């Protein structure tokens, strides 16, 4: 399939429409055990949209430090506990490190979570309606 210059121009012109909003600035959220962020996010037209993201698709655990890290299909919440929301951007949790010690840490999810027209996205994973 050939991509013409006019098709490329149309595709590039659509990019502002596809731009995403910052998660913390455009969503209110809560933590739902065992592994979900439930959020109400503003769509492009300003209407609210309720959605739920499986955070095991977005967060992992650094095996050596026991800290939460942004990671595609990280499955952190199979290994961590006492997870909770802290402020509007952080998740706090307790996990095991390499030496089997409990480590309490947090992760700023605003750094990698995006609101794309009401849907939450992380590492290419889109949230589900809720």
């Amino acid at each position: 399939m050939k991509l013409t210059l006019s098709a490329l121009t149309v595709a590039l012109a659509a990019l502002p429409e596809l731009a995403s909003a910052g998660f913390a600035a455009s969503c209110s959220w809560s933590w739902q055990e065992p592994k979900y962020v439930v959020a109400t996010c503003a769509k492009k037209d300003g209407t609210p949209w309720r959605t739920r993201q499986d955070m095991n698709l977005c967060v992992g655990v650094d095996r050596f430090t026991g800290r939460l890290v942004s990671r595609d299909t990280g499955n952190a919440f199979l290994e961590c506990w006492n997870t909770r929301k802290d402020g509007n951007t952080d998740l706090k949790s307790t996990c095991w490190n390499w030496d089997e010690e409990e480590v309490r840490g947090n992760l700023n999810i605003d750094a990698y979570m995006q609101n794309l027209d009401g849907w939450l996205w992380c590492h290419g994973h889109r949230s589900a309606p809720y």
Side-chain angles (χ1 to χ4, degrees), residues 5 15 19 35 38 40 44 46 57 60 67 71 80 96 98 101 104 107 110 113 118 123:
L5 182 56
L15 283 178
K35 59 181 180 171
V38 176
T40 300
K44 283 187 266 185
L57 300 174
R67 303 258 181 219
R71 181 178 295 147
C80 299
W96 298 111
W98 185 260
E101 301 166 324
R104 291 181 193 91
L107 179 67
D110 193 47
M113 184 83 71
H123 301 294

Side-chain angles (χ1 to χ4, degrees), residues 39-77:
T40 300
C41 297
K43 296 181 73 158
K44 283 187 266 185
D45 65 5
T47 59
W49 181 253
R50 193 148 166 87
T51 187
R52 179 173 83 169
Q53 179 69 19
D54 180 344
M55 295 304 285
N56 274 332
L57 300 174
C58 309
V59 180
V61 178
D62 180 305
R63 294 277 181 218
F64 293 101
T65 66
R67 303 258 181 219
L68 295 174
V69 293
S70 175
R71 181 178 295 147
D72 183 21
T73 316
N75 292 317
F77 304 104

